[in-house]
Amino acid sequence: MTAATAQMGEFETMKRSWPQDLLASVVVFLVALPLCLGVAIASGAPPALGLITGIIGGLVVGTLAGSPLQVSGPAAGLAVLCYQLVQEQGLIMMGVVGLIAGALQLIAGIARLGQWFRAISPSVIHGMLAGIGVLILGSQFHVMIDDSPRGSGIQNLLSIPEAIYKAIFPMAMDSHHLAAITGVATIAAILIWNQFKPKQLAMVPAPLIAVIVGTLVAAFAGFDIKRVTVPDNIVASLNIPTMEALQRGLTMEILLLGVVFAFVASAETLLCATAVDQMHTGPRTKYDKELRAQGIGNMLCGAVGALPMTGVIVRSSANVQAGAKSRMSAIMHGVWILATVVALPWLLALIPTAALAAILVYTGYKLVNIAQIKKIASYGRVELAIYFTTLGGIVVFDLLTGVIIGFVLATAKVVYTFTHVRVDLEDDEMAGRTDVFLHGSATFFSIPRLAGVLETVKPGREVHVHVEHLDHIDHACLDMLGAWEKQHKATGGSMVMEWQDLRERYASPYQKMQDSADGEGTWPGDGPKKARPVLEPAA
C-alpha cells in the first residue's frame, strides 16, 4: 500500500467516524484539562505552559502522529525531570532543553531508530514508571496541603509525616488543613466515582469529577487556599528562550539534559503506543513516524518555552474507550483546550491547586502498579531485583542514574543467561554409568566449567550427556565434547549423546539438506567426520 493510498483510506475513515471521534474528543479533553494543569504545577511551571503543551500535542502531534489513537501532552513521567530542571537551571531553560530533545527525537525518527527505543527491559521501564510515581506522590503530597516540596525525593517522602501533622494540627493563620480537606475530598471523589459510577455516565472521567468536587468543596466552604493562576491572554504566558538561554544550550550540562529528556520521552511515548495498539483493532503504530511527530511537537513546545510532551496512556486509553476511530479525536481535543483557554480563563482560576495535586498523588500511586509487580515477580527474583533497584535508584539519586543502574543490571542478566551453564553429575556405581545434565547456554565461556566437571568422571565409565535442557550450545563446546569423547574412549569408556537432537535444533537448513544427501552426518558421533557446521541459535 502506497503512502497516498494509506492517507486516502485514513481520510475516508475520518469522514465516516466523525460523530464517534467528536464525542471521544470531548471525553479526552475533560481528562486532559486537569492533567495539563496539574503536571505543570508539579513541574514547577505556570499552569498555562501545561495547557500550551496540550494544545500543541492535539493540533500538531495529533495531525502528524504515527499512532492515530494516541494522545500527546504534558506527562507526569517528565514532571520530576522538569521540576529539577526549573529548580537548578531556571524556567527559561525549559524551552532550550525541549528544543534539544525534540531535535534528537526528529533525527532519531528520520534515521529509523523508533524500534530501538523499545529495546529496554520491561523491568527497567516499569521500575522507572514506579520510581517516577513515588517521586510525584512525595512531592505533590506537600502541594496538596498548600505547602512547598522539599529539596529531593527522599526528603519529600521522609517529610510526609510532618505534612500530615500540619494538616491535622495547623498553626494559627495556616491554611494547610483547609487545602488537605480539599485534597482528601478530591481523592475520595476519584475512588467513589471509579467504584460506583452509573453505566450511563461511564464515559465521564474520574479526574473531571474530582476537580469539580474539589472546586465546589473549596468554594462553598469559603476556603482561602491557593488556586490556579491563568492569564487572560495566553500569549502573555509564553516562555520564549532568550539568546542568552540558547547560548547556554551549547554547554555540556544542558546538552546532556536534552539527551535525557529525549530518551525518557521517546521510551514513554513508544511504550504507550504499544499499549494503545493492544486496545484496538485499527491501524498499528508506525514508530518512526510517531517519533518524528513527537520531535516536531517538542521543538514547537521548546520554541515557546512550554512543557515537553510524550504520548500519555491515561488520555490515550480514555480516547480508545470513548470510541475514537481516527486521529480526529486527538486533534479536536486540542481545539477544545484552546477554546477553553481563550474563552474561559476565569473558570480555570476557580480550581484549587490542592485538587490538582491530589489527582497527581493518586496518579503517582497508580504508577506503582501492584499487578505489574506481581507479573514481573512471576519471571523470577532477578527481574524483581532489577525493578526495585531501578525504582530505588531513581528515588535515592535521580531519574537518569536509576535508569542507568537498571539497564546495567538487565544487561548483566542477559550476559549471564547466555554465558552460564549448569552442569549436574549423577553416578550410578552399580551400573558403572555417569549421567551429565546440561542446563542453560553452553558457550565458549562455559568450557572451563564443563571441562572441570568432565575431568572428575572416572575412566572406563559409560557417560550419558543430556542436552535436552540446553537453550543453546555453540561450536566451541561441541568441539570440546568431541575431543573429550575421544580421550574417554582411549581409557575404555564410552559417551552417549543426543547428536540427532542437537542436529535438529542447531544445524542450518542447508546443513540438514547436505546430511540427507550425503547419507551420513557431519556432527560428532555420526560416523566419518567432515567439517562441522557453523552453529546457528535456535529460533
Side-chain angles (χ1 to χ4, degrees), residues 430-455:
M430 296 290 294
R433 166 175 168 165
T434 298
D435 288 276
V436 180
F437 297 89
L438 303 181
H439 301 259
S441 296
T443 67
F444 61 92
F445 286 105
S446 311
I447 288 177
R449 177 176 179 78
L450 182 56
V453 173
L454 292 176
E455 286 172 2

Side-chain angles (χ1 to χ4, degrees), residues 197 239 259 281 315 458 475 487 515:
K197 59 186 172 186
N239 180 40
V259 172
T281 58
R315 277 155 271 188
K458 298 175 182 178
H475 198 176
Q487 295 172 356
D515 287 353

Side-chain angles (χ1 to χ4, degrees), residues 252-275:
M252 187 56 65
E253 184 179 11
I254 301 301
L255 288 173
L256 180 60
L257 282 172
V259 172
V260 173
F261 271 78
F263 173 80
V264 175
S266 300
E268 187 169 344
T269 293
L270 299 184
L271 284 169
C272 175
T274 301

Side-chain angles (χ1 to χ4, degrees), residues 408-426:
V408 168
L409 285 178
T411 304
K413 185 217 174 200
V414 171
V415 172
Y416 177 82
T417 300
F418 285 100
T419 59
H420 179 72
V421 65
R422 194 180 88 222
V423 185
D424 296 327
L425 204 69
E426 292 184 5

Side-chain angles (χ1 to χ4, degrees), residues 472-487:
H472 174 73
I473 185 169
D474 70 2
H475 198 176
C477 273
L478 283 169
D479 272 341
M480 190 274 286
L481 286 169
W484 186 85
E485 180 184 13
K486 290 180 181 179
Q487 295 172 356

Side-chain angles (χ1 to χ4, degrees), residues 24 27-37 39 50 53-54 69-77 268 272 276 279 309-322 329 333 337 360:
V27 173
V28 176
F29 157 71
L30 295 175
V31 174
L33 186 63
L35 291 177
C36 286
L37 294 168
V39 171
T53 300
L69 300 186
Q70 179 167 261
V71 180
S72 298
E268 187 169 344
C272 175
V276 172
M279 298 177 188
M309 73 173 65
T310 74
V312 277
I313 191 62
V314 175
R315 277 155 271 188
S316 300
S317 59
N319 193 34
V320 175
Q321 292 168 8
S329 174
H333 111 276
I337 296 176
L360 288 174

Side-chain angles (χ1 to χ4, degrees), residues 76-77 80 127-137 264 268 367 394 399:
V80 175
M128 179 186 78
L129 293 176
I132 290 170
V134 170
L135 292 179
I136 289 174
L137 188 152
V264 175
E268 187 169 344
L367 283 173
I394 290 171
L399 184 63

